[in-house]
Amino acid sequence: MPFRKTIDEFNFSIQPTIDERRIRELMTLSFLKEHENPIFLGSPGIGKTHLAVSIGLQAIFQGYKTYFVSAHDLIIQLRKADTDGKLELKLRSFVKPRLLIIDEMGYMKLDIGDAHYLFQVIARRYEKGSIILTSNKSFGEWGEMVGNPVIATAILDRLLHHSRIFNLNGESYRQLEK
């Protein structure tokens, strides 16, 4: 995890669009049994990563294998593995954990090869393991983000089939702390 933040440290009063009851229900980890994908959408600084890390720490505490990676690092790792002839092995490392957290989807535009890497991870985890995804992009922007609307549709089709979507709005925590 990039940092240790618990759900008790999250200030729900600053983010009124977040349904605390729904988040607390995620903390039970029942979504893992159903291979559901919690997805946190919203602008930077509003707590998406904090929530993902809190749930990830709870999963680790409960004994579930959990892996956290930024979307950028996921792509970099897969590119390198492909260059080194170890793509299959690296893909398996992203499929193996019970919970995969992909953070900051949308901060970088993907080229067609990168989009295929992302599709492989999502497709291989489909109905086998949960993904928590954070993004600053709406689903309508994914075609442009991944550089190909067909691949974006294929990714979203699998990701959204069993998902719990949380649209977050509000002030940036970082700006409020200033």
Side-chain angles (χ1 to χ4, degrees), residues 124-158:
R124 290 174 185 221
R125 290 190 63 83
Y126 177 64
E127 295 191 331
K128 295 179 183 141
S130 294
I131 296 171
I132 293 177
L133 187 130
T134 72
S135 180
N136 65 339
K137 301 288 186 191
S138 68
F139 299 129
E141 298 173 280
W142 277 49
E144 182 181 331
M145 180 183 63
V146 302
N148 183 305
V150 174
I151 295 173
T153 300
I155 290 169
L156 288 171
D157 182 59
R158 287 159 180 81

Side-chain angles (χ1 to χ4, degrees), residues 12-63:
F12 286 95
S13 66
I14 293 175
Q15 302 300 347
T17 61
I18 301 173
D19 183 343
E20 183 175 356
R21 181 192 53 77
R22 287 182 70 208
I23 299 298
R24 297 266 179 207
E25 200 280 321
L26 286 178
M27 297 301 291
T28 69
L29 305 177
S30 62
F31 71 93
L32 291 174
K33 294 174 187 74
E34 302 298 322
H35 309 297
E36 292 177 324
N37 305 311
I39 300 171
F40 298 105
L41 303 174
S43 57
I46 59 174
K48 300 180 303 291
T49 302
H50 182 147
L51 292 170
V53 166
S54 297
I55 297 164
L57 289 173
Q58 180 69 10
I60 291 167
F61 179 73
Q62 295 292 326

